[in-house]
Amino acid sequence: MKKQMILSALDMSCVGFLAQGVWTHPADRSTELNTLDYWIEYARLLERGLFDMLFIADNIGVYDVYGGSAAASVKGGVQIPMNDPSVVIGAMAAATKHLGFGITGNLVYEPPYLFARRMSTLDHMTGGRIGWNIVTGILQSGARAMGRQALVPHDERYDIADEFMELMYKLWETSWEEGAVLVDREHGRYADPDKVHVIRHEGKYYRLEAVHPCIPSPQRTPFLLQAGSSGRGKEFAAANAECVFVNGVSKSVVAGNVADLRRRAAEVGRSPTDIKVLAGATIIVGRTEAEAREKLEEYRRYADPEAVLAHAAGGLGVDLSKYPLDEPIRYEENDANRTAMAMLTRNGEGGYTPRKIAEEMALSARNLLIVGSVEQVVDELADWMEKTGIAGFNVARLIMPDSLKDFIDLVIPALQECGLYKTEYREGTLRDKLTGNGPRLSAPHPAATIGR
Ligand SMILES: Cc1cc2nc3c(=O)[nH]c(=O)nc-3n(C[C@H](O)[C@H](O)[C@H](O)COP(=O)(O)O)c2cc1C
């Protein structure tokens, strides 16, 4: 039997997500993001396509590196406005039954106790359909927005993350024992105090003494997603993540990343297949290749080169407005996104210039862009699965919702026909659906072994 792929929809609660300027296309509806109807329809559409998850990325801060201000981003709607990703989940969960929700939470700025409570509440309200994209932030503007002088240095962000995770696991997994909740009306005992424990933690970055305020949710620990690809990022992912997002740069780079993650996972005693890797992809499909290419050209006409550069500059932490259009970007060590820096300088064939960035990254940023007929798209997705070892794709929106509708109406049935995609949802929580290993994390994952 063929390996069935996981499909996640990749988005952010903003107008200009990865395809800067495309919101100006007359068919695009992403400017309706401030209405509940937009999100409810979105969730229903994804569930119609049997998508496993809607993944909502998030940034704290604004892209203000280009030209030394946020002007280009504000003008072009480059991830500003940016709404809180968690608020719309309840409405979407009520409108669907199976769709999972991966929401982003930046642990550097979240108070552990409140964050653990929010995630447990969301896991309850969705019947166990919550995933958490663990991020530590790459924007200096985010640090300033949160009252700090500067971004925490790159590797130290992961040290903080290690300790934050330890705290989360203690709160979610050990504060309430199995069987602690009684709801015994006859004797007036809601819960058994002997089975509810105060978590005491004193570490380098955090100090806490608390009972977790929520009873155990279906998954306890939400399904754990992560996207770091630096050495330190992969070390963190190998220990904690259940699903890792990578930019779909090239098959060989992604295959190398998958192999490296599996090796690192094995080193910490986890099964290499415990980590599912999803590659980011932007897909333009037509009934024929010519139709798809026409769409590509049409969408390109709406791209906003300055906004594309403002987005890239923010991610790289480099003011691209200072570079002549045809000068290759030089590698520099900073505290922003190391993977992006390496890709656009050291690994980039011939090096990326601002012009090349504005042209090649206009519709898909650093994600894979697949354009073709239904058959071509299916073949390419299958080839990626086979050659890289990924478990599936994070499909970024382009024209909202038409490009997702195209994908669902044309590509999904073709994938199903060749056995590459499910024809119905599996029952259970997001973790059940994506791993088949039950609703909760089990040993040797640290969530299952902590405090035991
Ligand atoms: C598909 C994908 C989604 C991401 N989503 C977010 C996000 O929502 N918020 C964020 O701050 N960083 C996000 N990142 C950035 C990562 O969390 C991480 O900072 C980045 O990949 C660099 O990690 P590294 O320095 O370990 O390579 C994302 C990265 C990828 C590839």
Side-chain angles (χ1 to χ4, degrees):
M1 201 175 115
K2 284 186 190 158
K3 184 166 118 184
Q4 294 194 337
M5 66 181 68
I6 293 173
L7 287 179
S8 159
L10 169 62
D11 207 339
M12 215 170 202
S13 193
C14 67
V15 176
F17 174 37
L18 295 182
Q20 306 306 337
V22 169
W23 62 271
T24 56
H25 188 285
D28 188 81
R29 287 183 46 205
S30 61
T31 50
E32 294 171 30
L33 84 154
N34 292 309
T35 67
L36 269 185
D37 283 347
Y38 173 83
W39 293 98
I40 290 169
E41 256 183 67
Y42 196 164
R44 287 195 175 127
L45 172 66
L46 293 177
E47 192 154 276
R48 174 162 78 70
L50 301 182
F51 263 74
D52 293 293
M53 174 169 71
L54 168 59
F55 161 47
I56 310 181
D58 187 30
N59 273 332
I60 308 286
V62 66
Y63 284 81
D64 62 356
V65 176
Y66 188 82
S69 88
S73 299
V74 170
K75 174 171 170 278
V78 181
Q79 300 187 4
I80 172 91
M82 172 73 67
N83 286 347
D84 184 314
S86 61
V87 175
V88 289
I89 302 298
M92 288 195 285
T96 53
K97 186 160 178 269
H98 292 286
L99 183 68
F101 304 100
I103 59 169
T104 300
N106 185 328
L107 59 85
V108 173
Y109 306 126
E110 292 280 358
Y113 175 81
L114 294 179
F115 184 73
R117 181 176 72 156
R118 189 178 337 128
M119 295 310 276
S120 293
T121 308
L122 282 165
D123 201 46
H124 278 299
M125 296 304 149
T126 57
R129 290 191 272 154
I130 281 292
W132 169 29
N133 178 33
I134 309 163
V135 306
T136 54
I138 51 166
L139 300 180
Q140 291 289 356
S141 61
R144 292 194 300 274
M146 296 305 291
R148 310 208 174 183
Q149 304 246 311
L151 209 52
V152 178
H154 181 272
D155 284 7
E156 191 180 1
R157 294 204 290 270
Y158 286 108
D159 297 341
I160 296 174
D162 283 341
E163 193 179 325
F164 193 92
M165 295 313 292
E166 189 188 325
L167 250 175
M168 291 302 108
Y169 297 147
K170 286 179 180 168
L171 289 166
W172 286 325
E173 302 283 342
T174 67
S175 190
W176 292 69
E177 282 181 35
E178 287 305 309
V181 181
L182 304 169
V183 199
D184 177 353
R185 289 175 195 273
E186 202 182 332
H187 301 98
R189 295 202 319 153
Y190 180 79
D192 178 351
D194 291 341
K195 292 187 172 170
V196 180
H197 308 289
V198 177
I199 302 303
R200 291 188 178 83
H201 176 95
E202 230 179 300
K204 182 167 174 199
Y205 300 103
Y206 298 102
R207 192 171 179 178
L208 169 150
E209 182 178 318
V211 169
H212 184 47
C214 307
I215 66 170
S217 66
Q219 300 182 110
R220 282 190 182 246
T221 296
F223 189 71
L224 298 175
L225 316 156
Q226 207 259 346
S229 308
S230 61
R232 188 63 181 90
K234 279 192 270 200
E235 188 188 320
F236 177 84
N240 297 283
E242 297 174 82
C243 183
V244 170
F245 300 129
V246 295
N247 288 120
V249 191
S250 73
K251 286 174 195 156
S252 59
V253 170
V254 170
N257 266 332
V258 172
D260 192 22
L261 270 168
R262 287 188 172 157
R263 184 182 55 74
R264 289 169 188 264
E267 271 171 20
V268 293
R270 296 178 71 195
S271 156
T273 50
D274 280 354
I275 302 182
K276 317 269 179 222
V277 180
L278 302 188
T282 298
I283 296 166
I284 302 176
V285 63
R287 281 175 182 78
T288 60
E289 183 182 349
E291 190 185 297
R293 301 240 154 246
E294 261 170 44
K295 285 187 198 173
L296 170 71
E297 289 318 314
E298 182 190 330
Y299 300 163
R300 272 205 179 128
R301 285 199 288 278
Y302 291 88
D304 174 347
E306 192 186 41
V308 176
L309 289 175
H311 181 216
L316 291 168
V318 173
D319 183 358
L320 297 176
S321 75
K322 296 222 167 91
Y323 272 85
L325 268 181
D326 293 307
E327 191 171 310
I329 315 293
R330 288 176 299 278
Y331 184 88
E332 58 182 85
E333 194 101 349
N334 61 29
D335 287 314
N337 188 327
R338 296 244 166 120
T339 308
M341 178 68 84
M343 181 201 144
L344 298 179
T345 55
R346 288 178 180 166
N347 303 339
E349 281 166 28
Y352 274 73
T353 61
R355 191 189 304 278
K356 192 169 169 189
I357 290 176
E359 282 172 13
E360 285 190 18
M361 292 170 51
L363 295 184
S364 57
R366 283 173 296 119
N367 273 338
L368 156 74
L369 177 65
I370 302 178
V371 184
S373 65
V374 177
E375 200 182 29
Q376 286 169 323
V377 170
V378 169
D379 286 350
E380 187 61 7
L381 295 177
D383 198 52
W384 266 84
M385 297 276 292
E386 204 182 299
K387 298 218 168 97
T388 63
I390 57 169
F393 298 89
N394 223 348
V395 181
R397 69 149 151 105
L398 195 50
I399 301 290
M400 187 61 203
D402 288 2
S403 23
L404 270 171
K405 277 189 182 155
D406 285 349
F407 184 82
I408 288 169
D409 293 335
L410 300 173
V411 180
I412 296 275
L415 288 172
Q416 288 169 327
E417 220 161 274
C418 53
L420 284 166
Y421 201 58
K422 62 182 169 308
T423 51
E424 59 182 6
Y425 281 110
R426 190 184 283 178
E427 287 301 319
T429 64
L430 181 57
R431 180 169 290 116
D432 286 301
K433 286 181 165 70
L434 295 188
T435 70
N437 293 338
R440 303 211 172 137
L441 277 162
S442 48
H445 192 283
T449 54
I450 201 141
R452 279 172 211 159

PDB file of all heavy atoms in Angstrom, residues 86-108:
ATOM      1  N   SER A  86      -5.288  32.354  17.931  1.00  0.00           N
ATOM      2  CA  SER A  86      -6.074  31.395  18.717  1.00  0.00           C
ATOM      3  C   SER A  86      -7.556  31.768  18.846  1.00  0.00           C
ATOM      4  O   SER A  86      -8.387  30.916  19.119  1.00  0.00           O
ATOM      5  CB  SER A  86      -5.457  31.233  20.116  1.00  0.00           C
ATOM      6  OG  SER A  86      -5.465  32.459  20.797  1.00  0.00           O
ATOM      7  N   VAL A  87      -7.863  33.046  18.623  1.00  0.00           N
ATOM      8  CA  VAL A  87      -9.222  33.509  18.933  1.00  0.00           C
ATOM      9  C   VAL A  87     -10.279  32.894  18.006  1.00  0.00           C
ATOM     10  O   VAL A  87     -11.406  32.641  18.417  1.00  0.00           O
ATOM     11  CB  VAL A  87      -9.266  35.057  18.913  1.00  0.00           C
ATOM     12  CG1 VAL A  87     -10.679  35.576  19.109  1.00  0.00           C
ATOM     13  CG2 VAL A  87      -8.354  35.621  19.998  1.00  0.00           C
ATOM     14  N   VAL A  88      -9.901  32.628  16.764  1.00  0.00           N
ATOM     15  CA  VAL A  88     -10.893  32.110  15.808  1.00  0.00           C
ATOM     16  C   VAL A  88     -11.072  30.585  15.893  1.00  0.00           C
ATOM     17  O   VAL A  88     -11.947  30.024  15.235  1.00  0.00           O
ATOM     18  CB  VAL A  88     -10.505  32.470  14.351  1.00  0.00           C
ATOM     19  CG1 VAL A  88     -10.696  33.954  14.117  1.00  0.00           C
ATOM     20  CG2 VAL A  88      -9.075  32.055  14.044  1.00  0.00           C
ATOM     21  N   ILE A  89     -10.281  29.939  16.711  1.00  0.00           N
ATOM     22  CA  ILE A  89     -10.317  28.470  16.728  1.00  0.00           C
ATOM     23  C   ILE A  89     -11.674  27.928  17.198  1.00  0.00           C
ATOM     24  O   ILE A  89     -12.205  26.972  16.624  1.00  0.00           O
ATOM     25  CB  ILE A  89      -9.187  27.894  17.628  1.00  0.00           C
ATOM     26  CG1 ILE A  89      -7.817  28.376  17.151  1.00  0.00           C
ATOM     27  CG2 ILE A  89      -9.249  26.355  17.667  1.00  0.00           C
ATOM     28  CD1 ILE A  89      -7.411  27.971  15.776  1.00  0.00           C
ATOM     29  N   GLY A  90     -12.241  28.538  18.219  1.00  0.00           N
ATOM     30  CA  GLY A  90     -13.520  28.051  18.741  1.00  0.00           C
ATOM     31  C   GLY A  90     -14.593  28.026  17.664  1.00  0.00           C
ATOM     32  O   GLY A  90     -15.319  27.033  17.506  1.00  0.00           O
ATOM     33  N   ALA A  91     -14.675  29.125  16.907  1.00  0.00           N
ATOM     34  CA  ALA A  91     -15.695  29.204  15.846  1.00  0.00           C
ATOM     35  C   ALA A  91     -15.440  28.140  14.781  1.00  0.00           C
ATOM     36  O   ALA A  91     -16.366  27.480  14.297  1.00  0.00           O
ATOM     37  CB  ALA A  91     -15.680  30.596  15.221  1.00  0.00           C
ATOM     38  N   MET A  92     -14.188  27.946  14.429  1.00  0.00           N
ATOM     39  CA  MET A  92     -13.873  26.949  13.392  1.00  0.00           C
ATOM     40  C   MET A  92     -14.117  25.530  13.907  1.00  0.00           C
ATOM     41  O   MET A  92     -14.556  24.657  13.158  1.00  0.00           O
ATOM     42  CB  MET A  92     -12.418  27.100  12.928  1.00  0.00           C
ATOM     43  CG  MET A  92     -12.215  28.350  12.098  1.00  0.00           C
ATOM     44  SD  MET A  92     -10.649  28.318  11.195  1.00  0.00           S
ATOM     45  CE  MET A  92      -9.508  28.635  12.505  1.00  0.00           C
ATOM     46  N   ALA A  93     -13.811  25.326  15.175  1.00  0.00           N
ATOM     47  CA  ALA A  93     -14.018  23.984  15.743  1.00  0.00           C
ATOM     48  C   ALA A  93     -15.504  23.653  15.767  1.00  0.00           C
ATOM     49  O   ALA A  93     -15.901  22.506  15.509  1.00  0.00           O
ATOM     50  CB  ALA A  93     -13.430  23.907  17.153  1.00  0.00           C
ATOM     51  N   ALA A  94     -16.351  24.665  16.054  1.00  0.00           N
ATOM     52  CA  ALA A  94     -17.790  24.424  16.104  1.00  0.00           C
ATOM     53  C   ALA A  94     -18.343  24.096  14.724  1.00  0.00           C
ATOM     54  O   ALA A  94     -19.351  23.407  14.598  1.00  0.00           O
ATOM     55  CB  ALA A  94     -18.498  25.651  16.688  1.00  0.00           C
ATOM     56  N   ALA A  95     -17.677  24.590  13.689  1.00  0.00           N
ATOM     57  CA  ALA A  95     -18.179  24.390  12.318  1.00  0.00           C
ATOM     58  C   ALA A  95     -17.627  23.123  11.678  1.00  0.00           C
ATOM     59  O   ALA A  95     -17.953  22.819  10.528  1.00  0.00           O
ATOM     60  CB  ALA A  95     -17.812  25.606  11.466  1.00  0.00           C
ATOM     61  N   THR A  96     -16.748  22.416  12.379  1.00  0.00           N
ATOM     62  CA  THR A  96     -16.114  21.224  11.798  1.00  0.00           C
ATOM     63  C   THR A  96     -16.082  20.108  12.839  1.00  0.00           C
ATOM     64  O   THR A  96     -16.347  20.332  14.018  1.00  0.00           O
ATOM     65  CB  THR A  96     -14.656  21.535  11.375  1.00  0.00           C
ATOM     66  OG1 THR A  96     -13.979  22.095  12.508  1.00  0.00           O
ATOM     67  CG2 THR A  96     -14.585  22.488  10.215  1.00  0.00           C
ATOM     68  N   LYS A  97     -15.695  18.922  12.384  1.00  0.00           N
ATOM     69  CA  LYS A  97     -15.647  17.806  13.325  1.00  0.00           C
ATOM     70  C   LYS A  97     -14.244  17.209  13.431  1.00  0.00           C
ATOM     71  O   LYS A  97     -13.826  16.718  14.464  1.00  0.00           O
ATOM     72  CB  LYS A  97     -16.641  16.742  12.830  1.00  0.00           C
ATOM     73  CG  LYS A  97     -16.813  15.585  13.772  1.00  0.00           C
ATOM     74  CD  LYS A  97     -18.123  14.839  13.497  1.00  0.00           C
ATOM     75  CE  LYS A  97     -18.243  13.648  14.442  1.00  0.00           C
ATOM     76  NZ  LYS A  97     -17.672  12.440  13.870  1.00  0.00           N
ATOM     77  N   HIS A  98     -13.510  17.265  12.344  1.00  0.00           N
ATOM     78  CA  HIS A  98     -12.228  16.554  12.294  1.00  0.00           C
ATOM     79  C   HIS A  98     -11.006  17.442  12.109  1.00  0.00           C
ATOM     80  O   HIS A  98      -9.904  17.038  12.479  1.00  0.00           O
ATOM     81  CB  HIS A  98     -12.247  15.552  11.136  1.00  0.00           C
ATOM     82  CG  HIS A  98     -13.187  14.418  11.350  1.00  0.00           C
ATOM     83  ND1 HIS A  98     -12.929  13.400  12.228  1.00  0.00           N
ATOM     84  CD2 HIS A  98     -14.403  14.148  10.798  1.00  0.00           C
ATOM     85  CE1 HIS A  98     -13.930  12.531  12.206  1.00  0.00           C
ATOM     86  NE2 HIS A  98     -14.840  12.966  11.353  1.00  0.00           N
ATOM     87  N   LEU A  99     -11.184  18.577  11.472  1.00  0.00           N
ATOM     88  CA  LEU A  99     -10.026  19.399  11.112  1.00  0.00           C
ATOM     89  C   LEU A  99      -9.204  19.760  12.350  1.00  0.00           C
ATOM     90  O   LEU A  99      -9.754  20.190  13.365  1.00  0.00           O
ATOM     91  CB  LEU A  99     -10.527  20.686  10.431  1.00  0.00           C
ATOM     92  CG  LEU A  99      -9.458  21.649   9.926  1.00  0.00           C
ATOM     93  CD1 LEU A  99      -8.692  21.045   8.751  1.00  0.00           C
ATOM     94  CD2 LEU A  99     -10.094  22.981   9.519  1.00  0.00           C
ATOM     95  N   GLY A 100      -7.887  19.565  12.260  1.00  0.00           N
ATOM     96  CA  GLY A 100      -7.003  19.958  13.353  1.00  0.00           C
ATOM     97  C   GLY A 100      -6.587  21.416  13.198  1.00  0.00           C
ATOM     98  O   GLY A 100      -6.698  21.993  12.110  1.00  0.00           O
ATOM     99  N   PHE A 101      -6.089  22.008  14.285  1.00  0.00           N
ATOM    100  CA  PHE A 101      -5.665  23.411  14.248  1.00  0.00           C
ATOM    101  C   PHE A 101      -4.283  23.533  14.859  1.00  0.00           C
ATOM    102  O   PHE A 101      -4.106  23.275  16.061  1.00  0.00           O
ATOM    103  CB  PHE A 101      -6.652  24.289  15.027  1.00  0.00           C
ATOM    104  CG  PHE A 101      -8.065  24.148  14.539  1.00  0.00           C
ATOM    105  CD1 PHE A 101      -8.970  23.339  15.218  1.00  0.00           C
ATOM    106  CD2 PHE A 101      -8.479  24.794  13.385  1.00  0.00           C
ATOM    107  CE1 PHE A 101     -10.264  23.174  14.757  1.00  0.00           C
ATOM    108  CE2 PHE A 101      -9.781  24.632  12.916  1.00  0.00           C
ATOM    109  CZ  PHE A 101     -10.682  23.820  13.596  1.00  0.00           C
ATOM    110  N   GLY A 102      -3.322  23.896  14.041  1.00  0.00           N
ATOM    111  CA  GLY A 102      -1.972  24.112  14.569  1.00  0.00           C
ATOM    112  C   GLY A 102      -1.796  25.597  14.788  1.00  0.00           C
ATOM    113  O   GLY A 102      -1.845  26.367  13.831  1.00  0.00           O
ATOM    114  N   ILE A 103      -1.671  26.008  16.029  1.00  0.00           N
ATOM    115  CA  ILE A 103      -1.487  27.450  16.228  1.00  0.00           C
ATOM    116  C   ILE A 103      -0.107  27.732  16.803  1.00  0.00           C
ATOM    117  O   ILE A 103       0.469  26.924  17.521  1.00  0.00           O
ATOM    118  CB  ILE A 103      -2.593  28.092  17.088  1.00  0.00           C
ATOM    119  CG1 ILE A 103      -2.646  27.439  18.458  1.00  0.00           C
ATOM    120  CG2 ILE A 103      -3.917  28.074  16.402  1.00  0.00           C
ATOM    121  CD1 ILE A 103      -3.515  28.220  19.395  1.00  0.00           C
ATOM    122  N   THR A 104       0.364  28.898  16.449  1.00  0.00           N
ATOM    123  CA  THR A 104       1.726  29.267  16.807  1.00  0.00           C
ATOM    124  C   THR A 104       1.743  30.001  18.135  1.00  0.00           C
ATOM    125  O   THR A 104       0.917  30.870  18.382  1.00  0.00           O
ATOM    126  CB  THR A 104       2.296  30.159  15.679  1.00  0.00           C
ATOM    127  OG1 THR A 104       2.274  29.377  14.485  1.00  0.00           O
ATOM    128  CG2 THR A 104       3.710  30.611  15.972  1.00  0.00           C
ATOM    129  N   GLY A 105       2.666  29.647  18.990  1.00  0.00           N
ATOM    130  CA  GLY A 105       2.834  30.341  20.274  1.00  0.00           C
ATOM    131  C   GLY A 105       4.313  30.584  20.497  1.00  0.00           C
ATOM    132  O   GLY A 105       5.105  29.645  20.467  1.00  0.00           O
ATOM    133  N   ASN A 106       4.677  31.845  20.684  1.00  0.00           N
ATOM    134  CA  ASN A 106       6.086  32.194  20.892  1.00  0.00           C
ATOM    135  C   ASN A 106       6.413  32.111  22.381  1.00  0.00           C
ATOM    136  O   ASN A 106       6.018  32.966  23.177  1.00  0.00           O
ATOM    137  CB  ASN A 106       6.333  33.607  20.371  1.00  0.00           C
ATOM    138  CG  ASN A 106       7.793  33.986  20.441  1.00  0.00           C
ATOM    139  OD1 ASN A 106       8.525  33.556  21.335  1.00  0.00           O
ATOM    140  ND2 ASN A 106       8.223  34.785  19.503  1.00  0.00           N
ATOM    141  N   LEU A 107       7.128  31.061  22.758  1.00  0.00           N
ATOM    142  CA  LEU A 107       7.329  30.792  24.188  1.00  0.00           C
ATOM    143  C   LEU A 107       8.206  31.829  24.877  1.00  0.00           C
ATOM    144  O   LEU A 107       8.131  31.998  26.090  1.00  0.00           O
ATOM    145  CB  LEU A 107       7.905  29.382  24.383  1.00  0.00           C
ATOM    146  CG  LEU A 107       9.235  29.047  23.713  1.00  0.00           C
ATOM    147  CD1 LEU A 107      10.421  29.469  24.535  1.00  0.00           C
ATOM    148  CD2 LEU A 107       9.278  27.565  23.428  1.00  0.00           C
ATOM    149  N   VAL A 108       9.016  32.551  24.104  1.00  0.00           N
ATOM    150  CA  VAL A 108       9.888  33.549  24.744  1.00  0.00           C
ATOM    151  C   VAL A 108       9.050  34.646  25.414  1.00  0.00           C
ATOM    152  O   VAL A 108       9.455  35.218  26.416  1.00  0.00           O
ATOM    153  CB  VAL A 108      10.862  34.156  23.700  1.00  0.00           C
ATOM    154  CG1 VAL A 108      11.659  35.314  24.287  1.00  0.00           C
ATOM    155  CG2 VAL A 108      11.799  33.078  23.169  1.00  0.00           C
TER     156      VAL A 108
END
